[in-house]
Amino acid sequence: GAMVDAGLAPARLAEGWRRLPRQVATVKFKSVRRSGIAALAVDVKPRIRFRSASETERFLRRGRWPASVRDAVIGTFQRLVVAERAAHGGTGGHHGDLLVSADTVVDLVGVCWGLSALGITALTVSPLPLGLVAPATAHLLKGLAVVPAPPAVRGEEIVTPTGAALVASLGAGRASGSFRVTATGAGA
C-alpha cells in the first residue's frame, strides 16, 4: 500500500503479480486510518493455497520477472523459511501457514517488483520499532538496528516476519546522515 500511496500506479504494481504462473489472489486497495495516520491498505483475497514451503518456492521460481526481481523474491522467501523453521523447529508447526500463504506471495512480489518499478536499487533502513515480536521476526532481526516502539503500540506486532525478511534481505545500508524526501506513502 505504501508504494501506491507514494505514487506507484496500482496497475504497474499489479503487473508484478500478473507475471506469476497463475493468479494467487484478488487484490484491492482501500484507504484506512491506523493510529491516526491515513494509509493505504492492501486487501488480499486468496485464490490458491500452497501445500508446502517447497511448493510455494517452486511457484515463485516460475515467475516471469527480471533476474534482479526474481533473485530478491526467492532470496527473501528462503530467508523467511529458514527463520520460521528455526523459530518453530524443523518443518512442522505454526510457521507452515505463513510459508504457504497467498498473502506472503503477494507481499514478497509486491515489494520486490514495486521497488524495481520505482527504480529503487538500494534500500536504506532506519532502526525498526519493536512491539510484540514473533519468534521468526526475532531470528530475522539479528544484526539489524532496533528501537523500542512508542508506548501506545508496544503490545502490537509492528514488524511482521515477512516485513523483517524483506528488510533483512533487501536492506543494503543503515540510515545515517541526512536524506532528501522525494515521496511519502503510508501502508497499513
Side-chain angles (χ1 to χ4, degrees):
M3 284 190 229
V4 170
D5 197 37
L8 181 62
R12 181 76 172 116
L13 183 58
E15 184 182 331
W17 297 315
R18 285 194 303 274
R19 290 174 179 243
L20 286 162
R22 64 185 264 225
Q23 186 178 12
V24 295
T26 302
V27 178
K28 294 185 180 175
F29 298 97
K30 63 181 179 180
S31 295
V32 297
R33 290 192 76 71
R34 296 282 161 84
S35 300
I37 297 173
L40 193 61
V42 180
D43 185 31
V44 177
K45 301 284 188 233
R47 296 186 63 149
I48 63 174
R49 185 163 177 85
F50 302 99
R51 293 183 297 263
S52 66
S54 57
E55 181 183 20
T56 307
E57 184 174 336
R58 283 191 304 274
F59 180 82
L60 289 169
R61 287 187 180 283
R62 292 177 28 226
R64 300 174 318 276
W65 310 290
S68 61
V69 173
R70 181 180 294 106
D71 292 349
V73 169
I74 299 300
T76 303
F77 183 74
Q78 289 173 337
R79 190 178 289 240
L80 183 59
V81 169
V82 168
E84 287 287 345
R85 288 184 176 160
H88 299 288
T91 59
H94 168 76
H95 73 275
D97 289 344
L98 183 64
L99 301 177
V100 298
S101 164
D103 252 337
T104 301
V105 171
V106 168
D107 288 346
L108 295 180
V109 171
V111 170
C112 295
W113 174 263
L115 290 171
S116 177
L118 287 168
I120 296 171
T121 57
L123 192 62
T124 302
V125 181
S126 298
L128 297 169
L130 292 186
L132 181 66
V133 179
T137 302
H139 282 275
L140 289 158
L141 293 176
K142 288 179 186 172
L144 296 177
V146 297
V147 295
V153 293
R154 283 208 181 122
E156 298 176 27
E157 182 182 50
I158 299 168
V159 180
T160 66
T162 304
L166 285 159
V167 169
S169 293
L170 306 177
R174 304 295 170 246
S176 64
S178 62
F179 295 88
R180 182 180 316 244
V181 177
T182 58
T184 64

